[in-house]
């Protein structure tokens, strides 16, 4: 929503930013300033009743799913709403080779907490979970792009996991297990 040609949501950390950050905007040494001034937001066209972006909710939803299904670089990028654009995992040191205390856990999908900058909100996703989430983004983007009347109810259907694939029977060179030894 911050990356649309005309943003729907302003980057609150950039609107009305003072030349020097006030001490109350520093949290554990991190700059956590954000605009709290409704007049400054209104001057940019953001009010409770209007917004300079004229895209429909449907267009915004399609764009959101398309971005995370096809355009976002999961291997190298971090979702960063604080700045209004992705940053690199390298910048955050959220790379697999970094120590766990630096990278904040798993780094399959990195989402920076805008107030606790060292906190990766996406750290709970493992590789299969990311594939599932991204697969749902792809499914949603495809359903909405086709604009069929059944797309919306289909979009909200409960996620159905694929049937687990059975493990193949061990070959003659497979190591013996307790079960096969009996």
């Amino acid at each position: 929503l911050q990356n649309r040609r005309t943003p729907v949501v302003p980057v609150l950390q950039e609107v009305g930013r003072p030349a020097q950050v006030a001490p109350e905007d520093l949290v554990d040494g991190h700059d956590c300033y954000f605009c709290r001034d409704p007049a400054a937001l209104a001057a940019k066209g953001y009010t409770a009743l209007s917004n300079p972006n004229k895209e429909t909710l449907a267009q915004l939803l399609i764009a959101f799913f398309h971005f995370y299904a096809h355009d976002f670089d999961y291997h190298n990028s971090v979702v960063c709403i604080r700045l209004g654009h992705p940053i690199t995992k390298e910048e955050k040191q959220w790379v697999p080779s970094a120590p766990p205390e630096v990278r904040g856990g798993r780094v399959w999908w990195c989402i920076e907490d805008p107030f606790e900058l060292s906190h990766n909100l996406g750290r709970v996703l493992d590789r299969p979970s990311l594939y599932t989430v991204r697969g749902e983004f792809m499914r949603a983007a495809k359903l909405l792009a086709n604009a069929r009347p059944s797309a919306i109810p289909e979009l909200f259907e409960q996620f159905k996991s694929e049937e687990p694939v059975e493990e193949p029977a061990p070959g003659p060179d497979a190591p013996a297990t307790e079960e096969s030894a009996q």
Side-chain angles (χ1 to χ4, degrees):
L1 296 175
Q2 294 171 317
N3 290 311
R4 303 306 297 153
R5 184 168 288 134
T6 302
V8 176
V9 180
V11 179
L12 291 176
Q13 286 80 358
E14 297 300 324
V15 175
R17 177 174 276 290
Q20 237 179 343
V21 178
E24 64 267 16
D25 289 327
L26 290 174
V27 178
D28 293 333
H30 296 292
D31 175 357
C32 292
Y33 166 82
F34 66 94
C35 180
R36 298 169 181 85
D37 181 8
L41 292 171
K44 294 278 190 183
Y46 297 99
T47 67
L49 300 175
S50 70
N51 188 297
N53 185 297
K54 300 302 177 204
E55 291 176 277
T56 66
L57 183 56
Q59 290 169 319
L60 293 169
L61 189 61
I62 290 168
F64 172 84
F65 285 124
H66 185 274
F67 178 76
Y68 285 106
H70 304 290
D71 297 336
F72 185 76
D73 181 359
Y74 291 89
H75 293 287
N76 300 305
S77 296
V78 174
V79 175
C80 182
I81 64 166
R82 174 179 59 90
L83 299 176
H85 58 81
I87 59 177
T88 68
K89 288 181 180 182
E90 199 67 43
E91 283 177 72
K92 297 288 300 176
Q93 297 181 355
W94 288 353
V95 292
S97 60
E101 62 275 6
V102 172
R103 63 181 153 86
R106 296 182 181 118
V107 292
W108 292 103
W109 188 15
C110 295
I111 305 166
E112 180 192 67
D113 182 326
F115 297 106
E116 189 179 335
L117 305 182
S118 60
H119 185 206
N120 175 9
L121 298 171
R123 75 189 183 291
V124 296
L125 269 75
D126 58 11
R127 188 177 192 164
S129 298
L130 174 60
Y131 285 158
T132 299
V133 169
R134 190 165 180 210
E136 285 298 292
F137 285 150
M138 290 176 183
R139 186 177 76 85
K142 184 178 178 181
L143 282 170
L144 293 172
N146 290 335
R148 294 173 294 134
S150 65
I152 296 297
E154 210 172 318
L155 179 64
F156 292 104
E157 284 180 4
Q158 186 173 357
F159 171 73
K160 295 175 194 129
S161 175
E162 292 182 17
E163 292 297 318
V165 178
E166 287 188 34
E167 291 290 322
D173 296 330
T177 62
E178 272 188 46
E179 290 176 359
S180 64
Q182 293 177 357

